[in-house]
Amino acid sequence: MIERAFWASASGMAAAAQQVDITAHNLANVNTPGFKAGRADFQDLVYAAVRVPVAPADAVQGVSVGHGTRLAATPRLWRQGPLRETGSSWDLALEGPGFFRVEEDGEILYTRAGSFQPSPRADGTLWVVDGAGRPLLLDSGQPVILPPGTRSMEVTPEGQIWAEGPGGQRVAVGQLGLALPASADTLEARGDGLFAATDPAGVVVVAPGEVGAGRVRQGMLEQSNTDLATEMVRLLSAQRAYQLNARALLTADEMLGQVNRLRP
C-alpha cells in the first residue's frame, strides 16, 4: 500500500505540473491575436481491488485503490475571441467559424490571426501576406495579388476583395476562401498561430457567410480567447494539487521509514 501511495502521489505531481505548463502557455498568449487557449483533460489510472480487515477482527472488506492519474488530452477551446478595432485596412478578423488560408513552401496552413500587410513585388503588384511573408489565398488557391498602383484594399463581409487605384477606381481582385474543417480538433498545431490539416479531405473551402462560415470584419483583429479569471483559478488549483501530492509523498516516505526502523 505504501508503494502505491508513492506512485499515486508522483503521478498527481506530474499531472499538476502539466496543468501549470498549459495554463502558463495560455496566459503568455493572452495578447496574441487569434490564439486559442488549451485545456488539460485527465483520467484515472487503473484501479486495483484490495482486501482490508474490518471489525469484527475476522472480517475483511474489498475496496478499490487507484494508482493515480495521467494526462489524457489537451484539446483547444475554439470559442470566438473578442474583436478589436485596429484602423488598418490590412487587418482582417473572422466573426464566426472558419480559418484564413495561407501558403508556406507549397503547403496550405490555416490561421485565425488576420494581421496581414502588403508586400511589393518587382512587377509593381502587391501581395497580401502575413508577418512571415506567407501569402493569403483566394478560394481558387491563388495568392491575393493587388494590381500595380493599388492604394488600399477593401474586403467585404462576404470576402469579395477590391483594390482601389490612384484615381479612386475599384478593381475586383477575387473571392476570399475560408477553410472549414469537419472538426477543428483534427488540426495539427504548427506554432505561430498556424494549423495544418491531418486529413485534407475533411476540409472544405467556402466563401465567408456560406455553409456556416463566419464573415470578414476588415480593420479588426480577433484577440486571444484566453479567460484570465479562469486561467488564474486553474493555476492556483494546480499549485495546490502539486503541494498536496508532494505532502502525501513525504508522508508515505515517513511511514516507510518507520517500518524500516521497527525491530523484530
Side-chain angles (χ1 to χ4, degrees):
M1 292 293 291
I2 295 179
E3 183 181 359
R4 279 204 189 101
F6 274 115
W7 289 110
S9 299
S11 70
M13 293 172 65
Q18 291 167 326
Q19 176 68 78
V20 170
D21 290 342
I22 293 173
T23 303
H25 182 64
N26 292 340
L27 291 173
N29 288 277
V30 68
N31 293 319
T32 302
F35 177 78
K36 300 302 178 185
R39 185 188 70 226
D41 289 343
F42 299 96
Q43 70 179 39
D44 294 337
L45 294 177
V46 65
Y47 278 79
V50 297
R51 298 170 66 84
V52 296
V54 294
D58 58 345
V60 295
Q61 178 179 351
V63 298
S64 296
V65 178
H67 284 71
T69 185
R70 72 176 182 89
L71 182 66
T74 55
R76 290 184 180 272
L77 307 177
W78 296 104
R79 63 174 180 264
Q80 174 84 46
L83 302 186
R84 177 177 62 86
E85 188 171 355
T86 64
S88 172
S89 62
W90 303 103
D91 288 336
L92 305 176
L94 291 178
E95 189 174 32
F99 294 84
F100 295 112
R101 301 187 306 149
V102 297
E103 184 179 0
E104 182 177 47
D105 298 330
E107 182 182 18
I108 295 179
L109 301 175
Y110 312 112
T111 182
R112 294 279 299 190
S115 182
F116 298 107
Q117 59 193 35
S119 176
R121 300 302 166 107
D123 58 0
T125 59
L126 295 178
W127 287 39
V128 180
V129 302
D130 65 8
R134 308 178 190 93
L136 176 65
L137 300 182
L138 298 169
D139 58 355
S140 63
Q142 298 299 312
V144 177
I145 302 177
L146 308 179
T150 296
R151 298 177 56 182
S152 63
M153 176 184 68
E154 178 187 347
V155 183
T156 68
E158 293 74 31
Q160 298 171 351
I161 303 176
W162 298 80
E164 182 179 342
Q169 70 275 18
R170 297 168 73 243
V171 178
V173 174
Q175 172 67 52
L176 191 65
L178 301 183
L180 277 181
S183 173
D185 289 330
T186 62
L187 298 179
E188 175 188 356
R190 290 292 183 85
D192 201 21
L194 298 170
F195 300 90
T198 56
D199 180 18
V203 180
V204 297
V205 179
V206 299
E210 294 185 0
V211 199
R215 295 182 181 272
V216 179
R217 296 291 180 253
Q218 189 173 17
M220 291 184 161
L221 284 177
E222 181 184 2
Q223 301 303 291
S224 168
N225 68 353
T226 299
D227 186 281
L228 279 176
T230 300
E231 298 301 329
M232 289 303 298
V233 170
R234 287 176 177 167
L235 181 62
L236 293 175
S237 298
Q239 290 175 333
R240 293 296 180 262
Y242 188 93
Q243 293 173 351
L244 179 61
N245 280 281
R247 187 172 301 172
L249 188 64
L250 291 175
T251 301
D253 180 62
E254 292 174 357
M255 294 172 61
L256 188 60
Q258 292 179 2
V259 171
N260 289 336
R261 289 192 294 269
L262 291 177
R263 294 184 178 181

